[in-house]
Amino acid sequence: MVSESVFIRIANRNDMLALVSMAEEFARHLTALGEDRSGFDTEASLAQLLKHGFGDKPIFSALMAENEGKPVGYAIYNFGFWADSFQGMIFMTDLFVREEWRSKGIGKMMIKELRQVGRENDCDLLVWTVWANNPSAQKFYKNLGAVALNDEVFMKLDI
């Protein structure tokens, strides 16, 4: 299991460079699984994180997992409303743990903390997406008791 030196906390503006560095690792991981994530732009990604997390109208928050002060993982989330059941939700848009720290309980720790953040913000659901070609992530979430929403299709539209 994970060392007692791992600490989960709310990320701040000063964490964004470390977060973007891990996001680049995540992009390489997904590329290795077959997703086209070429051309990761660290500088542009950092600017977007700062704008959308710490600008005039923040639209996301993040958790940082640290071991002895060094970042080992993150989770990005925001709040929303699940209209099917009229419930508040916390939507996890990303969960990443550095490869050498996987299978040590850090992902579980972050999910537990996200559930607590959701409860503190009157949410009833924790919702997220998992890339279809990432079976290890799907297995991890199913082992936590998560249920796949196979009757929903995640869609996007540029604005």
Side-chain angles (χ1 to χ4, degrees):
M1 222 4 120
V2 73
S3 161
E4 294 204 11
S5 62
V6 172
F7 179 67
I8 308 289
R9 62 172 176 78
I10 301 292
N12 61 53
R13 180 182 192 88
N14 294 331
D15 294 315
M16 293 303 102
L17 188 57
L19 194 148
V20 82
S21 174
M22 289 186 286
E24 186 172 16
E25 290 176 43
F26 193 17
R28 285 193 303 269
H29 173 72
L30 293 175
T31 298
L33 294 175
E35 183 177 0
D36 182 14
R37 288 283 183 114
S38 58
F40 187 91
D41 186 332
T42 301
E43 190 173 310
S45 296
L46 179 59
Q48 290 288 73
L49 285 169
L50 293 172
K51 173 185 174 182
H52 294 302
F54 302 94
D56 292 339
K57 296 180 181 180
I59 57 175
F60 82 88
S61 296
L63 298 178
M64 292 292 288
E66 295 180 334
N67 179 59
E68 298 178 358
K70 295 179 182 170
V72 297
Y74 69 87
I76 298 174
Y77 64 93
N78 56 60
F79 298 101
F81 187 72
W82 192 259
D84 288 354
S85 55
F86 305 115
Q87 294 175 296
M89 71 172 186
I90 183 169
F91 184 74
M92 179 178 67
T93 60
D94 246 354
L95 174 69
F96 176 75
V97 175
R98 288 189 152 143
E99 187 172 1
E100 63 271 20
W101 288 93
R102 292 182 193 150
S103 300
K104 297 183 187 309
I106 295 170
K108 287 180 185 180
M109 288 174 65
M110 285 196 286
I111 293 290
K112 181 179 178 182
E113 185 64 23
L114 283 170
R115 292 176 83 185
Q116 182 60 36
V117 168
R119 281 190 289 277
E120 291 169 1
N121 287 277
D122 296 324
C123 295
D124 303 295
L125 299 171
L126 172 59
V127 179
W128 64 92
T129 62
V130 182
W131 189 46
N133 289 342
N134 192 346
S136 62
Q138 291 176 44
K139 181 180 178 186
F140 166 74
Y141 294 127
K142 286 179 183 175
N143 286 340
L144 292 178
V147 177
L149 297 175
N150 294 325
D151 59 340
E152 303 273 341
V153 176
F154 201 70
M155 305 193 62
K156 73 176 185 174
L157 182 63
D158 289 338
I159 296 176

